[in-house]
Coordinates of all heavy atoms in Angstrom, one line a residue:
K607 N -185.7 -91.0 -0.8 CA -187.2 -90.9 -0.8 C -187.7 -90.2 -2.0 O -186.9 -89.5 -2.7 CB -187.7 -90.3 0.5 CG -187.4 -88.8 0.6 CD -188.0 -88.3 1.9 CE -187.6 -86.9 2.3 NZ -188.2 -86.5 3.5
V608 N -188.9 -90.5 -2.4 CA -189.5 -89.8 -3.5 C -190.7 -89.0 -3.0 O -191.4 -89.4 -2.1 CB -190.0 -90.8 -4.6 CG1 -191.0 -91.8 -4.1 CG2 -190.4 -90.1 -5.9
C609 N -190.9 -87.8 -3.6 CA -191.9 -86.9 -3.2 C -192.7 -86.3 -4.4 O -192.2 -86.3 -5.5 CB -191.3 -85.7 -2.4 SG -190.4 -86.2 -0.9
A610 N -193.9 -85.9 -4.1 CA -194.7 -85.2 -5.1 C -195.3 -84.0 -4.6 O -195.9 -84.0 -3.5 CB -195.9 -86.2 -5.6
E611 N -195.2 -82.9 -5.3 CA -195.8 -81.6 -5.0 C -197.0 -81.5 -5.9 O -196.9 -81.5 -7.2 CB -194.9 -80.4 -5.2 CG -193.7 -80.4 -4.3 CD -192.8 -79.3 -4.5 OE1 -192.9 -78.6 -5.6 OE2 -191.9 -79.0 -3.7
I612 N -198.2 -81.3 -5.4 CA -199.5 -81.2 -6.2 C -200.1 -79.8 -5.9 O -200.4 -79.5 -4.8 CB -200.4 -82.3 -5.8 CG1 -199.8 -83.7 -6.1 CG2 -201.7 -82.2 -6.6 CD1 -200.6 -84.9 -5.6
T613 N -200.3 -79.1 -7.0 CA -201.0 -77.8 -7.0 C -202.1 -77.9 -8.0 O -201.9 -77.8 -9.2 CB -200.0 -76.7 -7.4 OG1 -198.8 -76.8 -6.6 CG2 -200.6 -75.3 -7.2
G614 N -203.3 -78.0 -7.5 CA -204.5 -78.2 -8.4 C -204.3 -79.5 -9.2 O -204.3 -80.6 -8.6
T615 N -204.1 -79.4 -10.5 CA -203.9 -80.7 -11.3 C -202.5 -80.8 -11.8 O -202.2 -81.7 -12.5 CB -204.9 -80.7 -12.5 OG1 -204.6 -79.5 -13.3 CG2 -206.3 -80.8 -12.1
S616 N -201.6 -79.9 -11.3 CA -200.2 -79.9 -11.7 C -199.4 -80.8 -10.7 O -199.6 -80.6 -9.5 CB -199.6 -78.5 -11.7 OG -200.2 -77.8 -12.7
V617 N -198.5 -81.6 -11.2 CA -197.8 -82.5 -10.3 C -196.3 -82.4 -10.7 O -195.9 -82.4 -11.8 CB -198.2 -84.0 -10.6 CG1 -197.3 -84.9 -9.7 CG2 -199.7 -84.2 -10.3
V618 N -195.5 -82.2 -9.6 CA -194.0 -82.2 -9.7 C -193.5 -83.3 -8.9 O -193.8 -83.3 -7.7 CB -193.4 -80.8 -9.3 CG1 -191.9 -80.9 -9.3 CG2 -193.9 -79.7 -10.2
V619 N -192.7 -84.2 -9.5 CA -192.2 -85.4 -8.7 C -190.7 -85.2 -8.6 O -190.0 -84.8 -9.6 CB -192.5 -86.7 -9.4 CG1 -191.9 -87.9 -8.7 CG2 -194.0 -86.9 -9.5
Y620 N -190.1 -85.4 -7.4 CA -188.7 -85.3 -7.3 C -188.2 -86.4 -6.3 O -189.0 -86.9 -5.5 CB -188.3 -83.9 -6.8 CG -188.8 -83.5 -5.4 CD1 -188.1 -83.7 -4.3 CD2 -190.1 -82.9 -5.4 CE1 -188.6 -83.3 -3.0 CE2 -190.6 -82.5 -4.1 CZ -189.8 -82.7 -3.0 OH -190.3 -82.3 -1.8
G621 N -186.9 -86.7 -6.3 CA -186.3 -87.6 -5.4 C -185.3 -86.9 -4.5 O -184.9 -85.8 -4.9
Q622 N -185.0 -87.5 -3.4 CA -184.0 -86.9 -2.5 C -183.0 -88.0 -2.1 O -183.4 -89.1 -1.9 CB -184.7 -86.4 -1.2 CG -185.4 -85.1 -1.4 CD -185.9 -84.5 -0.1 OE1 -186.2 -85.2 0.8 NE2 -186.0 -83.1 -0.1
V623 N -181.8 -87.6 -2.0 CA -180.7 -88.5 -1.6 C -179.9 -87.8 -0.5 O -179.6 -86.6 -0.6 CB -179.7 -88.7 -2.8 CG1 -178.6 -89.7 -2.3 CG2 -180.4 -89.3 -4.0
G624 N -179.7 -88.5 0.6 CA -179.0 -88.0 1.8 C -178.2 -89.1 2.5 O -178.3 -90.2 2.2
L625 N -177.4 -88.6 3.4 CA -176.7 -89.6 4.2 C -177.6 -90.5 5.1 O -178.6 -90.0 5.5 CB -175.7 -88.9 5.2 CG -174.5 -88.2 4.5 CD1 -173.7 -87.4 5.5 CD2 -173.6 -89.2 3.8
A626 N -177.3 -91.7 5.2 CA -178.1 -92.7 6.0 C -177.9 -92.5 7.5 O -178.7 -92.9 8.3 CB -177.8 -94.1 5.6
G627 N -176.8 -91.8 7.9 CA -176.5 -91.5 9.3 C -175.4 -90.5 9.4 O -174.8 -90.1 8.3
P628 N -175.0 -90.2 10.5 CA -173.9 -89.2 10.7 C -172.5 -89.9 10.3 O -172.4 -91.1 10.4 CB -173.9 -88.9 12.2 CG -174.5 -90.0 12.8 CD -175.5 -90.6 11.8
P629 N -171.6 -89.1 9.8 CA -170.3 -89.7 9.5 C -169.6 -90.2 10.7 O -169.9 -89.7 11.8 CB -169.5 -88.6 8.9 CG -170.5 -87.5 8.6 CD -171.7 -87.7 9.4
S630 N -168.7 -91.2 10.6 CA -168.0 -91.7 11.8 C -167.1 -90.7 12.3 O -166.4 -90.0 11.6 CB -167.2 -93.0 11.4 OG -168.0 -93.9 10.8

Side-chain angles (χ1 to χ4, degrees):
K607 67 180 170 179
V608 63
C609 301
E611 292 177 348
I612 300 172
T613 307
T615 58
S616 296
V617 178
V618 175
V619 177
Y620 63 93
Q622 285 186 329
V623 180
L625 291 174
S630 300

